Amino acid sequence: MSIRKIVEYPAEVLEQQCEKVSVFDKKLAKLLDDMYETMVEFDGVGLAAPQIGISKQIAIVDIEDKHGTIELINPEIISAAGEQTDPEGCLSFPGLYGEVSRSNNITVKAYNRKGKLYELKAEGFLARAIQHEIDHLHGILFTSKVSRYLDEKELEELGTE
């Protein structure tokens, strides 16, 4: 496993529609392992393939809850309900944070590293993290959804730093 370089905005790959994955092999498994190591190294809760320069529909999320590491390949949100507004940041925008509204409850279908289709229900922070990463796979950046940017003092007051 190796730690990859995080691609930062305004890199073109961050605003592109990513290609679907069609081959589930050892190369994909290694990429997922590298993505996990990279996410942990940079203290993230999620990472999408375009953030390491790869235009493929691959993302991982790990908010350190009962779900553990969630690997999302060719993910699709099949239902969404409720609303939450909370601070968000992004490894591709170091030091930038803003309030973003997202669905509070989602159901997502995706493939795992072996090519098996599964469904997952998520709510709250997990739902937020998954939506953020899926947006990356469609070239949508969180900055396009920010209602208000936050400075470091406000973040500290919210207890997010």
Side-chain angles (χ1 to χ4, degrees):
M1 290 189 276
S2 56
I3 293 164
R4 306 279 187 110
K5 182 183 185 307
I6 298 284
V7 172
E8 294 182 7
Y9 183 80
E12 232 177 75
V13 70
L14 294 173
E15 296 186 272
Q16 294 173 346
Q17 172 71 35
C18 294
E19 296 171 29
K20 286 193 179 270
V21 172
S22 54
V23 178
F24 295 81
D25 59 6
K26 285 182 180 164
K27 196 173 163 189
L28 174 64
K30 180 179 181 341
L31 175 61
L32 285 160
D33 292 342
D34 287 356
M35 286 176 66
Y36 176 79
E37 289 293 313
T38 303
M39 177 186 72
V40 169
E41 175 69 20
F42 291 98
D43 202 25
V45 294
L47 187 70
Q51 291 182 278
I52 55 168
I54 298 168
S55 189
K56 291 277 191 187
Q57 288 195 21
I58 305 166
I60 58 169
V61 172
D62 191 337
I63 65 164
E64 299 182 349
D65 71 351
K66 66 179 183 186
H67 293 93
T69 304
I70 300 166
E71 298 176 342
L72 301 153
I73 301 166
N74 303 336
E76 192 181 321
I77 294 171
I78 53 176
S79 71
E83 188 179 59
Q84 57 170 312
T85 302
D86 279 304
E88 269 186 40
C90 179
L91 295 175
S92 294
F93 290 86
L96 188 65
Y97 300 90
E99 286 188 348
V100 177
S101 293
R102 295 197 183 269
S103 297
N104 193 56
N105 302 290
I106 61 166
T107 302
V108 64
K109 70 175 182 179
Y111 292 89
N112 68 15
R113 65 173 59 206
K114 293 182 173 21
K116 184 175 185 313
L117 186 64
Y118 71 91
E119 254 184 47
L120 173 74
K121 289 184 186 312
E123 63 180 284
F125 184 58
L126 180 59
R128 168 176 298 283
I130 290 170
Q131 290 170 85
H132 178 109
E133 299 312 326
I134 290 175
D135 275 356
H136 270 299
L137 306 180
H138 300 288
I140 300 165
L141 302 174
F142 92 105
T143 51
S144 70
K145 297 185 173 197
V146 169
S147 58
R148 181 174 77 91
Y149 286 99
L150 304 167
D151 62 30
E152 287 194 25
K153 187 171 187 257
E154 287 176 291
L155 275 177
E156 285 172 20
E157 287 168 6
L158 292 167
T160 346
E161 278 241 304

